[in-house]
Amino acid sequence: AQKITQTQPGMFVQEKEAVTLDCTYDTSDPSYGLFWYKQPSSGEMIFLIYQGSYDQQNATEGRYSLNFQKARKSANLVISASQLGDSAMYFCAMREFGSARQLTFGSGTQLTVLP
Amino acid sequence: DSGVTQTPKHLITATGQRVTLRCSPRSGDLSVYWYQQSLDQGLQFLIQYYNGEERAKGNILERFSAQQFPDLHSELNLSSLELGDSALYFCASSVATVGLAHEQFFGPGTRLTVL
């Protein structure tokens, strides 16, 4: 079974609007962390935001926030006030405490910001 | 700039050949991870080293091997190359192997093309 599912292969958003990128995950480990990474066309992977399974508050980092719904096993990324430079591939990833420390990635969502 | 360096940036070789990809982690990071990003498999974890010792193995083929040296740089060796090995290979580093929140910093990647 897929551990990380990103159901939106591509998304479009108008500049200055907010956009939500979906991510659902599957784990039986009570301790886990969820990450979002951005991959622009240049190829590098840029860390955006982290949410721990025991964190009470939703994580925020500048224009990025994570809508964490533990019971639904979802960890959606919200980007507010989209900018043209936000156009990129976005990956949701998970690290489980009980297993090795590597990240398991979803298939990604290609976000295009329209002027 | 994440502080993780990878060389070479691009590599073009022929089937059956052997190549070595090199990674230098961020200063102070003891843990190194290798990931493969291909069109059909997405982003997959290959192998992790911590302070010179192998800590976890993912979907790494037997034709592939890695090591981490005393100065903490790591090399990924790919042998008997096949067309399907063409991919972007990332190295990532983190300060520790325990703890969920430790962000992994990704290098710029090595793009391998097998002809």
Side-chain angles (χ1 to χ4, degrees):
Chain A
Q2 291 284 342
K3 288 204 167 186
I4 298 283
T5 303
Q6 295 180 254
T7 57
Q8 308 152 313
M11 287 278 287
F12 291 88
V13 65
Q14 211 67 41
E15 196 178 7
K16 297 179 187 173
E17 291 187 352
V19 62
T20 298
L21 307 183
D22 294 342
C23 172
T24 57
Y25 59 91
D26 183 28
T27 180
S28 56
D29 195 327
S31 297
Y32 53 89
L34 296 156
F35 301 75
W36 278 92
Y37 281 83
K38 171 184 177 181
Q39 186 178 38
S41 58
S42 51
E44 73 267 33
M45 295 288 286
I46 302 167
F47 166 76
L48 296 177
I49 197 166
Y50 165 81
Q51 179 85 43
S53 59
Y54 293 116
D55 292 344
Q56 296 297 312
Q57 306 272 3
N58 284 345
T60 59
E61 290 284 350
R63 293 186 299 111
Y64 303 108
S65 61
L66 203 151
N67 184 0
F68 181 48
Q69 297 187 45
K70 194 170 180 176
R72 296 180 61 186
K73 293 190 174 178
S74 76
N76 299 338
L77 177 70
V78 180
I79 305 174
S80 63
S82 297
Q83 301 172 356
L84 295 178
D86 294 334
S87 293
M89 183 73 90
Y90 288 80
F91 290 97
C92 180
M94 178 172 65
R95 177 187 293 143
E96 295 165 288
F97 183 79
S99 65
R101 305 288 183 252
Q102 74 273 17
L103 294 169
T104 302
F105 287 87
S107 54
T109 295
Q110 179 69 48
L111 177 67
T112 303
V113 180
L114 303 171
Chain B
D1 186 347
S2 67
V4 179
T5 60
Q6 288 187 250
T7 55
K9 193 165 186 177
H10 299 278
L11 199 47
I12 301 174
T13 188
T15 53
Q17 295 298 304
R18 173 190 170 94
V19 297
T20 297
L21 313 183
R22 183 187 168 104
C23 166
S24 292
R26 290 187 325 151
S27 177
D29 283 0
L30 299 178
S31 199
V32 168
Y33 306 78
W34 286 96
Y35 293 88
Q36 178 196 58
Q37 185 178 28
S38 62
L39 284 175
D40 53 344
Q41 300 285 341
L43 256 166
Q44 287 197 105
F45 166 71
L46 295 178
I47 197 163
Q48 178 206 356
Y49 279 82
Y50 177 77
N51 204 20
E53 291 187 7
E54 181 185 303
R55 280 298 176 95
K57 258 186 174 178
N59 297 325
I60 188 166
L61 299 171
E62 283 193 15
R63 301 183 285 107
F64 296 0
S65 64
Q67 54 185 327
Q68 187 179 27
F69 294 86
D71 67 352
L72 300 177
H73 91 271
S74 178
E75 292 181 357
L76 179 67
N77 301 296
L78 315 177
S79 61
S80 303
L81 285 167
E82 302 175 359
L83 296 177
D85 298 328
S86 295
L88 185 55
Y89 290 84
F90 285 108
C91 168
S93 75
S94 67
V95 66
T97 190
V98 294
L100 285 169
H102 289 297
E103 170 192 343
Q104 290 183 18
F105 294 88
F106 281 74
T110 292
R111 185 166 295 282
L112 173 67
T113 303
V114 182
L115 301 175

